[in-house]
């Protein structure tokens, strides 16, 4: 029973991530310090990088300082 529920939860998480990445608009989540927790593929592609490379970094790592300040 526990294994079946765990497998179901993992599958649901995969579905959510797939939907997140298929959004044609920029989507991201940041913490209170403006550090990217996750971004979708559209956002990463706009910056010429991957979602994994953006995670854990801040706006200043990807945008000119004026734009980074505005995004914060």
């Amino acid at each position: 029973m526990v294994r079946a529920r765990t497998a179901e939860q993992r599958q649901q998480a995969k579905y959510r991530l797939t939907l997140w990445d298929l959004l044609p608009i920029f989507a991201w989540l940041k913490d209170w310090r403006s550090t990217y927790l996750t971004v979708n593929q559209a956002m990463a592609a706009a910056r010429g990088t991957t979602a994994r490379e953006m995670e854990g970094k801040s706006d200043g790592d990807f945008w000119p300082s004026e734009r980074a300040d505005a995004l914060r």
Side-chain angles (χ1 to χ4, degrees), residues 9-67:
Q9 288 175 336
R10 285 186 181 141
Q11 187 63 43
Q12 289 174 356
K14 286 179 185 179
Y15 289 148
R16 282 191 298 275
L17 288 174
T18 299
L19 288 172
W20 176 255
D21 279 337
L22 291 175
L23 288 173
I25 59 172
F26 298 166
W28 65 90
L29 294 173
K30 293 193 281 186
D31 67 11
W32 62 275
R33 293 176 304 226
S34 199
T35 300
Y36 288 102
L37 301 174
T38 187
V39 301
N40 71 347
Q41 292 300 319
M43 177 72 165
R47 297 307 316 143
T49 188
T50 66
R52 283 198 166 199
E53 290 176 357
M54 289 188 74
E55 291 170 2
K57 296 182 180 163
S58 69
D59 294 312
D61 294 315
F62 297 99
W63 305 98
S65 61
E66 187 175 295
R67 177 75 173 142

